[in-house]
Amino acid sequence: YLDSWHLENTGQSNHATNGGTAGMDINFTAVDLSSVNGSGVKVAVSDNGMEIDHPDLSANYDATGSKDFTSTPPYDGDPSEEDRSLISTHGTAVTGIIAAVADNSIGGLGVAPSAQFGGFNYLNTTVTPSADIFQYQMTGPFDVFNYSYGYLPCLYYPVGTRTEYQLYKTVFQDGVNTLRGGLGANYVKAA
């Protein structure tokens, strides 16, 4: 926690030459974990995959609803990264920021260290985005859908025909109106 500048930035160096800017964080303190820890929440991370057996993540992984877009429809399977190189670790890092386990003496902790997560390896380099794949990453047994990407060609907003655009819009509307037992899903997009 002491190195988690994104949670509470005290100006710590965080293993870098220079320290951060105190207060540039999400205004989260360790005491908040006692009441707000993500328990009962399931987050879908759509990225290049995630290291589901990582020691800071494995206890919070729930495969239900996860999709392996490198396989064939209905894409059921392990959403792991295509490799463990430094180039493809973005999905693991994002998942850790969200749901890394607290107090395990291994690493940091997530904003919601008791939340469960699943995922989609949507940005895997072997995946060819299509209308059905785009829709799959918007549905399922999740409370929150996280999309921490936005660079070309992996645009968040749909690119395609007018019919495809209307279909995507319909799936989003259905998600915010019917998922979570009628409470509606939350869709989070990196700015």
Side-chain angles (χ1 to χ4, degrees):
Y1 178 81
L2 296 177
D3 290 330
S4 299
W5 63 267
H6 58 288
L7 299 177
E8 184 178 11
N9 193 337
T10 61
Q12 66 268 53
S13 64
N14 207 29
H15 309 289
T17 303
N18 299 313
T21 303
M24 296 299 292
D25 53 35
I26 65 168
N27 195 23
F28 184 90
T29 61
V31 74
D32 291 331
L33 287 176
S34 63
S35 60
V36 180
N37 59 20
S39 181
V41 174
K42 186 169 177 189
V43 180
V45 178
S46 185
D47 210 289
N48 62 339
M50 65 278 312
E51 191 178 335
I52 61 173
D53 58 351
H54 188 285
D56 274 337
L57 300 176
S58 62
N60 287 342
Y61 176 65
D62 178 350
T64 309
S66 293
K67 298 292 180 181
D68 174 14
F69 293 135
T70 64
S71 67
T72 56
Y75 309 109
D76 293 329
D78 181 344
S80 292
E81 299 172 311
E82 60 188 300
D83 64 49
R84 303 271 170 97
S85 73
L86 291 176
I87 295 170
S88 70
T89 58
H90 189 263
T92 299
V94 168
T95 306
I97 289 170
I98 296 168
V101 175
D103 300 322
N104 64 359
S105 301
I106 297 172
L109 71 146
V111 173
S114 295
Q116 296 289 294
F117 74 90
F120 313 116
N121 53 1
Y122 179 68
L123 301 183
N124 185 302
T125 59
T126 63
V127 172
T128 303
S130 62
D132 67 327
I133 287 177
F134 193 88
Q135 290 174 67
Y136 270 118
Q137 68 159 345
M138 299 159 53
T139 61
F142 302 100
D143 302 300
V144 179
F145 292 82
N146 184 82
Y147 310 104
S148 291
Y149 59 83
Y151 56 88
L152 293 172
C154 299
L155 301 171
Y156 174 70
Y157 56 87
V159 177
T161 67
R162 184 77 174 148
T163 302
E164 287 174 330
Y165 174 77
Q166 191 59 45
L167 182 60
Y168 301 142
K169 182 179 171 186
T170 300
V171 174
F172 271 124
Q173 286 175 329
D174 184 61
V176 298
N177 289 318
T178 66
L179 292 180
R180 293 193 315 141
L183 297 173
N186 296 284
Y187 294 96
V188 179
K189 177 68 181 79

